[in-house]
Amino acid sequence: MHPVLDEALSRSPVMPVLVIPEISMAAPLAEALASGGLTVFEITLRTDCALDAMLAMKDAVPDALIGAGTVTRRDRMREARDSGADFVVSPGTTQALWDASVEYQLPILPGFSSASEAMALMELGSQCGKFFPAEASGGVNYLKSLAGPLPDFLVCPTGGIKAETAGNYLACPNVMCVGGSWIAPGDLLAQGDYAAIEARARHAASLS
């Protein structure tokens, strides 16, 4: 596994999945998450300020590892690299996206939702993948079943996971960490309630 991905997936039990609507939120959000013990962030490229937010969060927390999420095209891969992303995350994986990761020398956490897709990733040389959407694709039971035939393929499940269910995923032998959007939801960001976000981060960092 690429050392950056290994560090990103093993540093904390939860990787916050973040949708940042306004650039002014980026720095205080990064500081709140870091104060709570989380320093690996997936910033989804779904808002106009997402690329700038990556730079701002890196400035606020220099030791953070920043993943650009929802990367589905080559041009977005290039933009993520140019904006300082340490790695990228995709909801699914195509040959073109994998080739772009190699070309731009930017490690990718590739998306998959089936055993066939996981096997295809292994053939490409990947040792890990983002299981998405986790709950809708079979959840904990599916991952436990996948661990039997593919014990060496490691997983970061994302999608529909909550604070109450994250521990169930983390108990699976093939799960390194989980992706969580519950840590910094839109309502708390809109309210500027960074204390609540820090508290959620602290709880997530304590999971095992």
Side-chain angles (χ1 to χ4, degrees):
M1 187 186 306
H2 193 286
V4 171
L5 274 184
D6 188 32
E7 175 66 16
L9 296 176
S10 60
R11 185 181 289 186
S12 304
V14 179
M15 183 189 307
V17 179
L18 309 171
V19 179
I20 304 175
E22 297 178 22
I23 189 61
S24 61
M25 299 173 175
L29 174 58
E31 291 165 354
L33 292 170
S35 294
L38 300 180
T39 55
V40 180
F41 316 137
E42 177 188 339
I43 303 172
T44 61
L45 302 188
R46 301 182 197 170
T47 61
D48 292 340
C49 70
L51 294 170
D52 290 334
M54 290 196 297
L55 292 169
M57 295 183 83
K58 194 76 166 183
D59 285 343
V61 183
D63 67 334
L65 288 177
I66 306 292
T70 323
V71 173
T72 58
R73 307 189 310 268
R74 171 183 291 269
D75 60 328
R76 296 302 263 170
M77 178 89 68
R78 185 186 64 252
E79 291 170 349
R81 179 202 61 184
D82 294 346
S83 296
D86 296 296
F87 62 101
V88 298
V89 185
S90 66
T93 311
T94 64
Q95 186 66 52
L97 198 62
W98 183 266
D99 291 344
S101 170
V102 174
E103 177 183 344
Y104 295 134
Q105 298 185 340
L106 188 60
I108 183 171
L109 178 61
F112 79 100
S113 62
S114 70
S116 293
E117 291 173 357
M119 291 167 64
L121 290 176
M122 294 174 73
E123 287 186 359
L124 289 171
S126 180
Q127 295 173 289
C128 60
K130 169 183 175 174
F131 181 53
F132 176 84
E135 283 288 284
S137 299
V140 169
N141 289 335
Y142 187 88
L143 287 178
K144 287 181 178 178
S145 298
L146 192 68
L150 303 178
D152 297 325
F153 189 73
L154 301 175
V155 180
C156 172
T158 304
I161 301 173
K162 302 177 181 178
E164 299 79 18
T165 59
N168 298 330
Y169 281 92
L170 292 168
C172 297
N174 48 350
V175 170
M176 292 188 73
C177 68
V178 303
S181 59
W182 79 85
I183 299 170
D187 58 340
L188 292 183
L189 282 175
Q191 296 162 19
D193 194 347
Y194 297 105
I197 291 172
E198 179 180 339
R200 291 185 179 211
R202 183 170 292 105
H203 175 264
S206 72
L207 294 173
S208 61

